[in-house]
Amino acid sequence: MPPKPANPAPAAEFEYCEVCRYNHDQGRRHRYMRKHREELDAVVTRFRSKLSDLRRALLHGAPSSQPPRPRLWCPFCSVDLDSRSACGNAIYHLASGEHLKGVKDFLRKHGGAMDQVESLRISEDGLAKWEKVSKSLSTEAKKGTEGLIGPSLKPTKDIQNESTCDNLDSFSQTNFPSLSNTASYVVMPLQSPTNGEYHPISTACHVASSLSSALYATPCETLRPPITPWGSAETHKLQGAPPTNWFHSSGPETKCHQSTIIANGASPSISCSVHIQQSDAGGNLSNGIGYCCSKANVHTGAPPPWLKANEYDPENFSIRSCGLFSSRERKLRKLNPKRVGAAWAERRRAEMEMEKRGEIVPETSDSNWLPNFGSVWQSGTRKESRKEFEKSHKLHDTKSNHELALDIKPYISKRMICSFLLQRLGVDKASDKDGGRPGVSAEEQLWRGPIDGFPCQAVSGMQMLGMPSKALTTQAAVAFLGTKH
Amino acid sequence: MGSALLPTLRRKAEVDATIRDTLDKVLVLRFGRAADTSCLQLDDVLAKSSWDISKFATVALVEMDSEEIQVYIDYFDITLVPATIFFFNAHHMKMDSGTPDHTKWIGSFSSKQDFIDVVEAIYRGAMKGKLIVSCPIPPERIPRFQLLFKDI
């Protein structure tokens, strides 16, 4: 039977599957693969959950239930939907015909079940409901904030006026919790020459939807004069930074951010650089480029955060270090207890801990400590090698000691003894015997004939005998010398 | 000229302290003279790889010409220079590299990677509780020497 070919059909050219984000050459087969089906399910589920959140929030229309996620990506139409947009783009899109078409195409292309279509869009009924709700909301909002809502620029021009400030104050106190913001950092603009303390006040800003329309500054620089009357009690710590820098640096940010400026009556501060995320009350929200107080950063000369939070650092650090240490301890506990020198390591670690704490554990015999070493020529345990070493070491030491202690005794040779003896006994006798033979050594005399006197005889006898009796000879000689003296 | 990175130990107390205080890490002690050529090469290899193995090994150089160190030279029976001795938790680790002397590594390493491999083998063996490990380097890269009996 011929073996099955690996690729039964000629594969298509490589194409990109957006769902799995995968390049494949399997053509239409790909969409029935397990992974693809799983990815598709994931995408659809994700979208559906977001959609249901959106629906719930807007159709049952309480302002408190604004959708937490401001942006929605429609994967079917590959379009970004901003739910904070004024016209409720998201809702309109999801109800539209293009979206329906997109959903159908997507499902067909990626092999999804076609009965999901309805769950992935907003029906016309739903759209109608939402429009009703949004209208009602907008009217409420209008009533609540008179004089502040409106796309007009009047409020900006009125910033200088106290009345507007008061309104703003009151409005901020009403505190619409509906809108979330990201930045909660509050920075006071530099209003007067900084001589002294800087009291940074960071408050979470609560931005009401309608406020966003309230205050706008056209270009950044023009806002400088308006700000000065505000909160003049606060001095800023931007000692080195002239106000111009600050405003200039915030320039590029204005394009990015939408922001509001709130003067808080309670604590005079300006909330800056607040992201406004709302989708509410109809089209009342005007997106304008607001004046953006930049965050305190290097360019503005603000003090670095690590210097400010000094009092917390040691606590945090200690906590962190404890955390690290505990993880280290955990790691150490996991070390193999059977590893080489485990007992030593534990003991030594305990000792080091004690030393750190201040209890010094003095080790005796420090100078003689030797590590555990297995010598080359050693056959038994390693302790033996150390014992042998210590033995040999001791011998060396003792040898050197003995040399010094011993008296240096002179070497006494036989000849010395003989000559000495002869001197003692008398050379005359020897000379008498031999008369005219000069130059005959005393030893020869001894050798030739017996002479009265035990020692000489003994000596000669010894001499004849030879080496082995060396000791005896010397001993005898010493004894003799001893007696004589 | 030892390396700027590697500590040079000249006194017995220093050597003792190093051996006793290196816990759960391999301690590599090189006994040699700074001026010797093969020592220099070995020192170079050691210095360059010391950072790479710093997580599980410490490297130190011991000056052989110091008087206090002679005790160690006798104890470890060091005759050929340079000699590298491995310790783990104050216990001496032996390595069988096919040479007559398993207690130390004589000579230099042909490359950093060889040295790292050797230290790794020692670490693995020590963590398993083995006092002698076999050398991961193939025999052609192991420096050969003659070991003389001590009494001769």
Side-chain angles (χ1 to χ4, degrees), chain A residues 332 335-336 338-342 344-346 348-349 351-352 363 366-378 382 385-386 388-389 393, chain B residues 12 16 19-21 23-24 71-72 74-77 85 87-94 101 103-104 126-131 147-150:
Chain A
L332 288 172
L335 281 176
N336 184 0
K338 288 191 212 164
R339 69 188 188 279
V340 169
W344 166 270
E346 299 304 314
R348 186 82 189 112
R349 208 161 259 130
E351 272 175 28
M352 286 166 90
E363 272 294 315
D366 259 339
S367 58
N368 291 337
W369 181 82
L370 286 168
N372 170 338
F373 184 81
S375 128
V376 185
W377 313 107
Q378 156 249 343
R382 288 190 178 183
S385 66
R386 196 196 289 201
E388 280 183 24
F389 172 74
H393 221 61
Chain B
K12 183 174 187 293
D16 284 350
I19 295 177
R20 293 162 69 121
D21 294 341
L23 299 172
D24 295 325
V71 178
Y72 275 126
D74 294 334
Y75 187 47
F76 297 147
D77 204 12
I85 305 186
F87 291 90
F88 188 82
N89 279 341
H91 286 257
H92 166 236
M93 296 293 298
K94 293 194 188 184
D101 187 355
T103 61
K104 54 184 89 71
M127 275 303 183
K128 288 194 180 157
K130 302 198 185 294
L131 286 169
L147 189 67
L148 308 170
F149 188 63
K150 58 181 172 179

Coordinates of all heavy atoms in Angstrom, one line a residue, chain A residues 332 335-336 338-342 344-346 348-349 351-352 363 366-378 382 385-386 388-389 393, chain B residues 12 16 19-21 23-24 71-72 74-77 85 87-94 101 103-104 126-131 147-150:
Chain A
L332 N 16.9 28.8 50.3 CA 17.9 28.1 51.0 C 17.3 26.8 51.6 O 17.9 25.8 51.7 CB 18.4 29.0 52.2 CG 19.4 30.1 51.7 CD1 19.7 31.0 52.8 CD2 20.6 29.5 51.0
L335 N 17.4 24.0 49.4 CA 18.7 23.4 49.1 C 18.8 22.0 49.6 O 18.3 21.7 50.7 CB 19.8 24.2 49.6 CG 20.2 25.5 48.9 CD1 21.3 26.3 49.6 CD2 20.7 25.2 47.5
N336 N 19.4 21.2 48.8 CA 19.5 19.8 49.2 C 20.2 19.6 50.5 O 21.3 20.0 50.7 CB 20.3 19.1 48.1 CG 20.4 17.6 48.3 OD1 19.8 17.1 49.3 ND2 21.1 16.9 47.4
K338 N 21.3 17.0 51.6 CA 22.4 16.0 51.5 C 23.6 16.6 50.8 O 24.5 15.8 50.5 CB 21.9 14.8 50.7 CG 20.9 14.0 51.5 CD 20.7 12.7 50.7 CE 19.3 12.2 51.0 NZ 18.8 11.2 50.0
R339 N 23.6 17.9 50.5 CA 24.7 18.4 49.7 C 26.0 18.4 50.6 O 25.9 18.3 51.8 CB 24.4 19.8 49.2 CG 24.4 20.8 50.3 CD 23.9 22.2 49.8 NE 24.0 23.2 50.8 CZ 23.1 23.4 51.7 NH1 22.1 22.6 51.8 NH2 23.3 24.4 52.6
V340 N 27.1 18.5 49.9 CA 28.4 18.5 50.6 C 28.4 19.7 51.6 O 28.2 20.8 51.3 CB 29.5 18.6 49.6 CG1 30.8 18.8 50.3 CG2 29.6 17.4 48.7
G341 N 28.8 19.3 52.8 CA 29.0 20.4 53.8 C 27.8 21.1 54.2 O 27.8 22.2 54.6
A342 N 26.6 20.4 54.2 CA 25.4 21.1 54.5 C 25.4 21.5 56.0 O 25.0 22.6 56.4 CB 24.2 20.2 54.2
W344 N 27.9 22.0 57.9 CA 28.9 23.1 58.1 C 28.2 24.5 57.7 O 28.3 25.5 58.4 CB 30.1 22.9 57.3 CG 31.0 24.1 57.2 CD1 30.9 25.0 56.2 CD2 31.9 24.6 58.1 NE1 31.8 26.1 56.5 CE2 32.4 25.8 57.6 CE3 32.4 24.1 59.4 CZ2 33.4 26.5 58.3 CZ3 33.4 24.8 60.0 CH2 33.9 26.0 59.5
A345 N 27.6 24.4 56.6 CA 27.0 25.6 56.0 C 25.9 26.2 57.0 O 25.9 27.4 57.3 CB 26.3 25.4 54.7
E346 N 25.1 25.3 57.5 CA 24.1 25.7 58.5 C 24.7 26.3 59.7 O 24.3 27.4 60.2 CB 23.1 24.6 58.9 CG 22.4 23.9 57.7 CD 21.6 24.9 56.9 OE1 20.9 25.8 57.6 OE2 21.7 24.9 55.7
R348 N 27.6 27.6 60.1 CA 28.4 28.8 59.8 C 27.4 30.0 59.6 O 27.7 31.1 60.0 CB 29.2 28.6 58.5 CG 30.1 29.7 58.2 CD 31.4 29.7 59.1 NE 32.1 31.0 58.9 CZ 32.2 31.9 59.8 NH1 31.8 31.7 61.0 NH2 32.9 33.0 59.5
R349 N 26.3 29.6 58.9 CA 25.3 30.7 58.7 C 24.8 31.2 60.0 O 24.6 32.4 60.2 CB 24.2 30.2 57.8 CG 23.5 31.2 57.0 CD 22.8 30.7 55.9 NE 23.5 30.8 54.6 CZ 23.7 29.9 53.8 NH1 23.2 28.7 54.0 NH2 24.3 30.0 52.6
E351 N 26.3 31.1 62.8 CA 27.3 31.9 63.4 C 27.4 33.3 62.9 O 27.6 34.3 63.6 CB 28.7 31.3 63.2 CG 29.1 30.2 64.2 CD 30.4 29.5 63.9 OE1 31.2 30.2 63.2 OE2 30.5 28.4 64.3
M352 N 27.3 33.4 61.6 CA 27.3 34.7 60.9 C 26.2 35.6 61.3 O 26.3 36.8 61.5 CB 27.4 34.6 59.4 CG 28.7 34.1 58.9 SD 28.7 33.5 57.2 CE 29.1 35.0 56.3
E363 N 36.2 31.9 67.8 CA 36.6 30.5 67.5 C 37.9 30.2 68.1 O 38.9 31.0 67.9 CB 36.6 30.3 66.0 CG 35.3 29.9 65.4 CD 34.9 28.5 65.9 OE1 35.7 27.6 65.9 OE2 33.7 28.3 66.3
D366 N 42.0 29.2 66.0 CA 41.8 29.7 64.6 C 43.0 29.6 63.8 O 42.9 29.3 62.6 CB 41.4 31.2 64.7 CG 40.0 31.4 64.6 OD1 39.3 30.5 64.0 OD2 39.5 32.5 65.0
S367 N 44.1 29.7 64.4 CA 45.3 29.7 63.5 C 45.7 28.3 63.1 O 46.4 28.2 62.1 CB 46.5 30.3 64.3 OG 46.7 29.6 65.5
N368 N 45.2 27.3 63.8 CA 45.5 26.0 63.4 C 44.4 25.3 62.6 O 44.5 24.2 62.3 CB 45.8 25.1 64.6 CG 47.1 25.6 65.3 OD1 47.9 26.2 64.6 ND2 47.2 25.3 66.5
W369 N 43.4 26.1 62.2 CA 42.3 25.5 61.5 C 42.7 25.1 60.1 O 43.4 25.9 59.4 CB 41.1 26.5 61.5 CG 39.9 25.9 60.8 CD1 39.0 25.1 61.3 CD2 39.6 26.1 59.4 NE1 38.1 24.8 60.3 CE2 38.4 25.4 59.2 CE3 40.1 26.8 58.4 CZ2 37.7 25.4 57.9 CZ3 39.5 26.8 57.1 CH2 38.3 26.1 56.9
L370 N 42.3 24.0 59.7 CA 42.6 23.5 58.4 C 41.3 23.0 57.7 O 40.6 22.3 58.4 CB 43.7 22.5 58.4 CG 45.1 22.9 58.7 CD1 46.0 21.8 58.9 CD2 45.6 23.8 57.5
P371 N 41.1 23.2 56.5 CA 39.9 22.7 55.9 C 40.0 21.2 55.7 O 41.0 20.6 55.7 CB 39.8 23.4 54.5 CG 41.2 23.8 54.2 CD 41.9 24.0 55.5
N372 N 38.8 20.7 55.4 CA 38.7 19.2 55.2 C 39.4 18.9 53.8 O 38.9 19.3 52.8 CB 37.2 18.9 55.2 CG 37.0 17.5 54.8 OD1 37.7 16.9 54.0 ND2 35.8 17.0 55.2
F373 N 40.5 18.3 53.8 CA 41.2 18.0 52.6 C 41.5 16.6 52.5 O 42.0 15.9 53.4 CB 42.5 18.9 52.6 CG 43.2 18.8 51.3 CD1 42.9 19.5 50.2 CD2 44.3 17.9 51.2 CE1 43.6 19.4 49.0 CE2 45.0 17.8 50.0 CZ 44.7 18.6 48.9
G374 N 41.3 16.0 51.3 CA 41.7 14.6 51.1 C 43.0 14.6 50.3 O 43.1 15.1 49.2
S375 N 44.0 14.2 51.0 CA 45.3 14.3 50.4 C 45.5 13.3 49.3 O 44.7 12.3 49.1 CB 46.4 14.1 51.4 OG 47.3 13.1 51.1
V376 N 46.5 13.4 48.5 CA 46.7 12.6 47.3 C 47.0 11.1 47.7 O 46.5 10.2 47.1 CB 47.9 13.1 46.5 CG1 48.0 12.3 45.2 CG2 47.7 14.6 46.2
W377 N 47.7 11.0 48.7 CA 48.2 9.7 49.1 C 47.4 9.0 50.2 O 47.7 8.1 50.8 CB 49.7 9.8 49.6 CG 50.5 10.7 48.7 CD1 50.9 11.9 48.9 CD2 50.9 10.3 47.3 NE1 51.5 12.4 47.8 CE2 51.6 11.5 46.8 CE3 50.8 9.2 46.5 CZ2 52.1 11.5 45.6 CZ3 51.3 9.2 45.3 CH2 52.0 10.4 44.8
Q378 N 46.3 9.6 50.4 CA 45.5 9.2 51.5 C 44.5 8.1 51.1 O 43.9 8.2 50.0 CB 44.7 10.4 52.1 CG 43.5 10.1 52.9 CD 42.3 10.6 52.2 OE1 42.4 11.4 51.3 NE2 41.1 10.1 52.6
R382 N 39.1 11.5 55.4 CA 39.9 12.7 55.2 C 40.5 13.1 56.5 O 41.5 13.8 56.6 CB 39.0 13.8 54.7 CG 38.7 13.5 53.2 CD 38.1 14.6 52.6 NE 37.8 14.4 51.2 CZ 37.3 15.3 50.4 NH1 37.0 16.5 50.9 NH2 37.1 15.0 49.1
S385 N 44.1 12.2 56.7 CA 45.1 13.1 56.1 C 45.4 14.3 56.9 O 46.6 14.7 57.0 CB 44.5 13.5 54.7 OG 43.5 14.4 54.9
R386 N 44.4 14.8 57.6 CA 44.7 15.9 58.5 C 45.6 15.5 59.6 O 46.5 16.2 60.0 CB 43.5 16.6 59.0 CG 43.7 18.0 59.5 CD 42.6 18.5 60.3 NE 41.5 18.8 59.5 CZ 40.5 19.6 59.9 NH1 40.6 20.2 61.1 NH2 39.5 19.9 59.2
E388 N 47.7 13.0 59.7 CA 49.0 12.8 59.3 C 49.8 14.1 59.1 O 50.9 14.2 59.4 CB 49.0 12.0 57.9 CG 48.8 10.5 58.1 CD 48.8 9.8 56.8 OE1 49.5 10.3 55.9 OE2 48.2 8.7 56.7
F389 N 49.1 15.0 58.5 CA 49.7 16.3 58.3 C 50.1 16.9 59.6 O 51.2 17.4 59.7 CB 48.7 17.2 57.5 CG 49.3 18.6 57.4 CD1 50.3 18.9 56.5 CD2 48.8 19.6 58.2 CE1 50.8 20.2 56.5 CE2 49.2 20.9 58.1 CZ 50.3 21.2 57.3
H393 N 53.7 17.7 60.8 CA 54.0 19.1 61.1 C 54.6 19.2 62.5 O 55.5 20.0 62.7 CB 52.7 19.9 61.0 CG 52.8 21.2 60.4 ND1 53.3 21.4 59.1 CD2 52.6 22.5 60.9 CE1 53.3 22.7 58.9 NE2 52.9 23.4 59.9
Chain B
K12 N 47.3 33.4 56.1 CA 46.5 32.2 56.3 C 45.1 32.6 56.9 O 44.1 32.0 56.6 CB 47.2 31.4 57.4 CG 46.4 30.1 57.7 CD 47.2 29.2 58.6 CE 46.5 27.9 58.7 NZ 45.2 27.9 59.4
D16 N 41.7 31.3 55.4 CA 40.7 30.6 56.3 C 39.3 31.2 56.2 O 38.3 30.6 56.1 CB 41.2 30.7 57.7 CG 42.3 29.7 58.0 OD1 42.6 28.8 57.1 OD2 42.9 29.8 59.1
I19 N 37.6 30.5 53.0 CA 37.1 29.1 52.9 C 35.8 29.0 53.8 O 34.8 28.4 53.4 CB 38.2 28.1 53.3 CG1 39.3 28.1 52.3 CG2 37.6 26.7 53.3 CD1 40.4 27.2 52.7
R20 N 35.9 29.6 55.0 CA 34.8 29.3 55.9 C 33.6 30.1 55.6 O 32.5 29.7 55.9 CB 35.3 29.7 57.3 CG 36.3 28.8 57.9 CD 37.0 29.5 59.0 NE 36.1 29.6 60.1 CZ 36.3 29.0 61.3 NH1 37.4 28.4 61.5 NH2 35.4 29.2 62.2
D21 N 33.8 31.3 54.9 CA 32.6 32.1 54.7 C 31.9 31.9 53.4 O 30.9 32.5 53.1 CB 33.1 33.6 54.8 CG 33.5 33.9 56.2 OD1 33.1 33.2 57.1 OD2 34.2 34.9 56.4
L23 N 29.6 30.1 51.5 CA 28.7 29.0 51.8 C 27.8 28.7 50.6 O 27.3 29.7 50.0 CB 27.8 29.5 53.0 CG 28.6 29.8 54.3 CD1 27.6 30.4 55.3 CD2 29.2 28.5 54.8
D24 N 27.6 27.5 50.3 CA 26.7 27.0 49.2 C 27.2 27.6 47.9 O 26.4 27.8 47.0 CB 25.3 27.5 49.5 CG 24.7 26.7 50.7 OD1 25.1 25.6 50.9 OD2 24.0 27.3 51.5
V71 N 52.0 26.6 55.1 CA 51.3 25.5 55.8 C 50.3 24.9 54.8 O 50.2 23.7 54.7 CB 50.5 26.1 56.9 CG1 49.7 25.1 57.6 CG2 51.4 26.8 57.9
Y72 N 49.6 25.7 54.1 CA 48.7 25.2 53.1 C 49.3 24.5 52.0 O 48.8 23.5 51.5 CB 47.8 26.3 52.5 CG 46.6 26.6 53.4 CD1 46.4 27.9 53.9 CD2 45.7 25.7 53.8 CE1 45.3 28.2 54.7 CE2 44.7 25.9 54.6 CZ 44.5 27.2 55.1 OH 43.4 27.5 55.8
D74 N 52.0 22.8 52.2 CA 52.4 21.4 52.7 C 51.1 20.6 52.8 O 51.1 19.4 52.5 CB 53.0 21.5 54.1 CG 54.4 22.2 54.0 OD1 55.0 22.1 52.9 OD2 54.8 22.8 55.0
Y75 N 50.1 21.2 53.4 CA 48.9 20.4 53.6 C 48.3 19.9 52.3 O 47.9 18.8 52.2 CB 47.9 21.3 54.4 CG 46.6 20.6 54.8 CD1 46.7 19.4 55.5 CD2 45.4 21.2 54.6 CE1 45.5 18.8 55.9 CE2 44.2 20.6 55.1 CZ 44.3 19.4 55.7 OH 43.2 18.8 56.2
F76 N 48.2 20.8 51.3 CA 47.6 20.4 50.1 C 48.6 19.7 49.2 O 48.2 19.3 48.1 CB 47.0 21.6 49.4 CG 45.9 22.3 50.1 CD1 45.8 23.7 50.0 CD2 45.1 21.6 50.9 CE1 44.8 24.3 50.7 CE2 44.0 22.2 51.6 CZ 43.9 23.6 51.5
D77 N 49.8 19.6 49.6 CA 50.9 18.9 48.9 C 51.0 19.5 47.5 O 50.9 18.8 46.4 CB 50.5 17.4 48.8 CG 51.6 16.6 48.5 OD1 52.8 17.0 48.6 OD2 51.4 15.4 48.2
I85 N 42.5 24.5 43.5 CA 41.8 23.6 44.4 C 40.4 24.1 44.6 O 40.1 25.3 44.8 CB 42.5 23.5 45.8 CG1 44.0 23.2 45.5 CG2 41.9 22.5 46.7 CD1 44.8 22.9 46.7
F87 N 36.7 24.0 46.6 CA 36.0 23.8 47.9 C 34.6 24.0 47.8 O 34.1 24.9 47.0 CB 36.6 24.7 49.0 CG 38.0 24.5 49.4 CD1 39.0 25.1 48.7 CD2 38.3 23.6 50.4 CE1 40.3 24.8 49.0 CE2 39.6 23.3 50.7 CZ 40.6 24.0 50.0
F88 N 33.8 23.3 48.6 CA 32.4 23.6 48.7 C 32.0 23.5 50.2 O 32.1 22.4 50.8 CB 31.6 22.7 47.9 CG 30.2 23.0 47.8 CD1 29.7 24.0 46.9 CD2 29.2 22.4 48.6 CE1 28.4 24.3 46.8 CE2 27.9 22.7 48.5 CZ 27.5 23.7 47.6
N89 N 31.5 24.6 50.8 CA 31.2 24.6 52.2 C 32.3 24.1 53.0 O 32.1 23.2 53.9 CB 29.9 23.7 52.4 CG 28.7 24.5 52.1 OD1 28.7 25.7 52.0 ND2 27.6 23.8 51.9
A90 N 33.5 24.6 52.8 CA 34.7 24.3 53.5 C 35.1 22.8 53.4 O 35.9 22.3 54.2 CB 34.5 24.7 55.0
H91 N 34.5 22.1 52.5 CA 35.0 20.8 52.2 C 35.7 20.7 50.8 O 35.2 21.3 49.9 CB 33.8 19.8 52.2 CG 33.2 19.5 53.5 ND1 33.4 18.4 54.2 CD2 32.4 20.3 54.3 CE1 32.8 18.4 55.3 NE2 32.2 19.5 55.4
H92 N 36.7 20.0 50.8 CA 37.5 19.9 49.6 C 36.8 19.0 48.6 O 36.4 17.9 48.9 CB 38.9 19.4 50.0 CG 39.7 19.0 48.8 ND1 40.3 17.8 48.7 CD2 40.1 19.7 47.7 CE1 40.9 17.7 47.5 NE2 40.9 18.8 46.9
M93 N 36.8 19.5 47.3 CA 36.1 18.7 46.3 C 37.2 18.1 45.4 O 38.1 18.8 44.9 CB 35.2 19.5 45.4 CG 34.0 20.1 46.2 SD 32.9 18.9 46.7 CE 32.3 18.2 45.2
K94 N 37.1 16.8 45.1 CA 38.1 16.2 44.2 C 37.5 16.0 42.8 O 36.3 15.9 42.7 CB 38.5 14.8 44.7 CG 39.2 14.8 46.1 CD 39.8 13.4 46.3 CE 40.3 13.3 47.7 NZ 41.0 12.1 48.0
D101 N 46.7 13.0 40.1 CA 46.3 13.8 41.3 C 44.8 14.3 41.1 O 44.5 15.1 40.3 CB 47.2 15.0 41.4 CG 47.0 15.7 42.7 OD1 46.0 15.4 43.4 OD2 47.7 16.6 43.0
T103 N 43.2 15.6 43.6 CA 42.8 16.6 44.6 C 42.9 18.1 44.1 O 42.3 18.9 44.7 CB 43.8 16.5 45.8 OG1 45.1 16.8 45.4 CG2 43.7 15.1 46.4
K104 N 43.6 18.3 43.0 CA 43.7 19.6 42.5 C 43.8 19.6 41.0 O 44.0 18.6 40.4 CB 44.9 20.3 43.1 CG 46.2 19.5 42.9 CD 47.3 20.2 43.6 CE 47.5 19.7 45.0 NZ 48.0 18.3 45.2
A126 N 28.6 18.6 44.1 CA 28.5 19.0 45.5 C 27.1 19.1 46.0 O 26.7 18.7 47.1 CB 29.2 20.3 45.7
M127 N 26.2 19.6 45.1 CA 24.8 19.7 45.5 C 24.2 18.3 45.7 O 23.2 18.2 46.4 CB 24.1 20.5 44.4 CG 24.2 22.0 44.6 SD 23.6 22.4 46.3 CE 23.7 24.1 46.3
K128 N 24.7 17.4 45.0 CA 24.2 16.0 45.2 C 24.8 15.3 46.3 O 24.4 14.2 46.7 CB 24.4 15.2 43.9 CG 23.5 15.6 42.8 CD 23.5 14.6 41.6 CE 22.6 15.1 40.5 NZ 23.0 14.5 39.3
G129 N 25.9 15.9 46.9 CA 26.5 15.3 48.0 C 27.7 14.4 47.7 O 28.2 13.6 48.5
K130 N 28.2 14.6 46.5 CA 29.4 13.8 46.1 C 30.7 14.6 46.4 O 30.8 15.8 46.1 CB 29.3 13.5 44.6 CG 28.1 12.8 44.2 CD 28.2 12.2 42.9 CE 26.9 11.6 42.5 NZ 26.5 10.4 43.4
L131 N 31.7 13.9 46.9 CA 32.9 14.6 47.2 C 33.9 14.5 46.1 O 34.9 15.2 46.0 CB 33.5 14.0 48.5 CG 32.9 14.4 49.8 CD1 33.4 13.6 50.9 CD2 33.1 15.9 50.0
L147 N 53.5 13.1 38.4 CA 53.4 13.2 39.9 C 54.4 12.4 40.5 O 54.5 11.2 40.3 CB 52.0 12.8 40.4 CG 51.7 13.2 41.8 CD1 51.7 14.7 42.0 CD2 50.5 12.6 42.3
L148 N 55.3 13.0 41.3 CA 56.3 12.3 42.0 C 55.9 11.9 43.4 O 55.2 12.6 44.0 CB 57.6 13.1 42.1 CG 58.0 13.8 40.8 CD1 59.1 14.8 41.0 CD2 58.5 12.7 39.8
F149 N 56.3 10.7 43.8 CA 56.0 10.3 45.1 C 56.7 11.2 46.1 O 57.8 11.7 46.0 CB 56.5 8.9 45.3 CG 56.0 8.3 46.6 CD1 54.7 8.1 46.9 CD2 56.9 7.9 47.6 CE1 54.3 7.6 48.1 CE2 56.5 7.4 48.8 CZ 55.2 7.3 49.1
K150 N 56.0 11.4 47.2 CA 56.4 12.6 48.1 C 57.8 12.4 48.7 O 58.4 13.3 49.1 CB 55.4 12.8 49.1 CG 55.1 11.6 50.0 CD 54.0 12.0 51.0 CE 53.5 10.8 51.8 NZ 52.5 11.1 52.7

